[in-house]
Amino acid sequence: MKLTHRHLHLLEKIQVQLAAVAGVVLVYFALWPVLRPSDPRDPVVFFVLGAPGSAAMFAGALWVLAAVAAVLTVHARPEGALMAAVLGVGGVSLRSPQMRGLLWAWSGPLRNVFGWLIAELALLAALLFVAALIVDLVRRGIAAVRPQWLHKDVLAAGASADGKQPIRALLGFLPPWRDGRWRPADASRTLAAMGLGLVVSVALLVLLLRSPERGQILFALLAAFLLGAMAAHQLLPEIRSAAIVCLPLLAGLGFYVLSMVAVPGGVDAWKSLPHYACILPVDWLTAGGGGTLIGYWMSERLHELRHIEKKLAGLAEA
């Protein structure tokens, strides 16, 4: 039986949701004993507490989940695989204690903590890039053997010279070049979409973040960046997911720099920290990045449905 686009849309949704839930359950229950800090009061941070082994295990978990999700979500668009992997390692964020455990143990000037957290954001950005590369490589390997299994992008500009649809890639910050040429307008629209997504996400995060409690932080990050990514992609659908997914890490960088400037002095300075200063680097990656990918993925599906409905309406009129 030939599957209709409606069936494929549902299949994609089921694959991505099951892969994401399975990843969270695996990390939350099975991998947490090897990923958690040695002190149960410490949050999940790598550089500040000198835990390179934990960073390596976290990287391994993210990359393995990316490879497995790329196989499990083969019928979905590639953002679904990366989303499942990022949300999967979010089990670490769900289990992590609050930032204050680290602040209690810190003996030097409190503003120095945020310098280490910025370095950790850079590490997580590199890990995310490798995870996206893994998804691409796995999907290309599958395409070499069973190209019909991959998601068919109905919004693609067109087929290649041999009549085959090009493989949808995650990497790349610019939209596909027209006529094989780079145009400044492509970069301008990409930067405009990134700016819009960042402004909307940060504004919503400030509004939603009402306390430093872990559940409140994760909810605020997920909701803010989901809506910010949807807003940017709905208005500027040419934006590539690689440009969108980096927005939470850029926002985290800005908030950590602001925290370094705004941190008060004194022994009890940690009590006066703003709520945004209590967001862990892994939270920016998992909850923020996961929310961004969900928003982008949902927005793409909406654009696709509108395109198909418009095409069917045109056929009906003809």
Side-chain angles (χ1 to χ4, degrees):
M1 182 182 69
K2 184 177 176 60
L3 294 178
T4 65
H5 189 272
R6 176 184 168 189
H7 293 137
L8 292 173
H9 229 235
L10 178 61
L11 178 61
E12 178 190 19
K13 180 179 179 181
I14 293 173
Q15 283 186 341
V16 171
Q17 289 179 342
L18 288 179
V21 170
V24 171
V25 171
L26 176 67
V27 172
Y28 189 90
F29 292 105
L31 297 184
W32 175 246
V34 299
L35 293 171
R36 66 185 177 190
S38 56
D39 190 329
R41 296 171 297 179
D42 290 338
V44 176
V45 289
F46 307 123
F47 290 162
V48 188
L49 299 177
S54 297
M57 288 184 287
F58 180 85
L62 174 61
W63 295 341
V64 169
L65 286 178
V68 173
V71 175
L72 295 179
T73 64
V74 64
H75 296 296
R77 61 204 81 218
E79 288 80 13
L82 188 61
M83 181 209 311
V86 170
L87 290 175
V89 291
V92 170
S93 292
L94 290 172
R95 295 294 296 260
S96 175
Q98 292 187 27
M99 173 84 83
R100 62 188 178 193
L102 168 63
L103 303 179
W104 290 339
W106 186 256
S107 57
L110 197 56
R111 61 174 48 88
N112 292 352
V113 171
F114 299 102
W116 286 106
L117 298 182
I118 290 173
E120 197 160 305
L121 277 180
L123 169 68
L124 294 177
L127 299 185
L128 182 62
F129 177 85
V130 175
L133 181 60
I134 290 171
V135 171
D136 272 350
L137 293 176
V138 171
R139 288 174 64 87
R140 289 181 185 276
I142 295 173
V145 181
R146 291 287 188 273
Q148 68 273 18
W149 287 0
L150 268 67
H151 173 76
K152 302 300 187 295
D153 190 355
V154 300
L155 299 178
S160 59
D162 59 1
K164 295 180 180 179
Q165 197 171 33
I167 297 174
R168 172 71 180 281
L170 267 169
L171 301 178
F173 286 83
L174 294 174
W177 297 345
R178 300 179 183 89
D179 305 322
R181 295 195 300 268
W182 177 84
R183 298 186 179 184
D186 292 334
S188 298
R189 291 178 69 82
T190 296
L191 292 175
M194 291 177 67
L196 173 63
L198 190 61
V199 168
V200 172
S201 299
V202 168
L204 288 173
L205 179 61
V206 172
L207 290 174
L208 293 173
L209 191 57
R210 312 312 299 174
S211 81
E213 298 297 323
R214 296 294 300 150
Q216 171 67 200
I217 286 175
L218 298 179
F219 166 76
L221 283 170
L222 187 73
F225 283 95
L226 186 158
L227 295 174
M230 281 198 73
H233 191 260
Q234 283 293 302
L235 292 176
L236 295 164
E238 300 90 349
I239 186 70
R240 293 283 290 274
S241 55
I244 287 289
V245 75
C246 67
L247 296 185
L249 300 177
L250 291 176
L253 171 63
F255 276 119
Y256 284 153
V257 171
L258 183 61
S259 299
M260 293 176 69
V261 177
V263 64
V267 178
D268 295 330
W270 62 271
K271 296 180 179 179
S272 304
L273 284 179
H275 300 330
Y276 58 76
C278 299
I279 302 176
L280 299 172
V282 291
D283 299 338
W284 290 108
L285 172 68
T286 60
T292 300
L293 285 164
I294 293 173
Y296 185 95
W297 180 75
M298 291 173 60
S299 180
E300 272 227 323
R301 286 165 59 88
L302 288 174
H303 279 298
E304 191 174 81
L305 284 174
R306 293 191 195 112
H307 174 81
I308 293 172
E309 289 173 357
K310 185 177 179 181
K311 188 175 180 180
L312 291 175
L315 291 174
E317 291 177 0

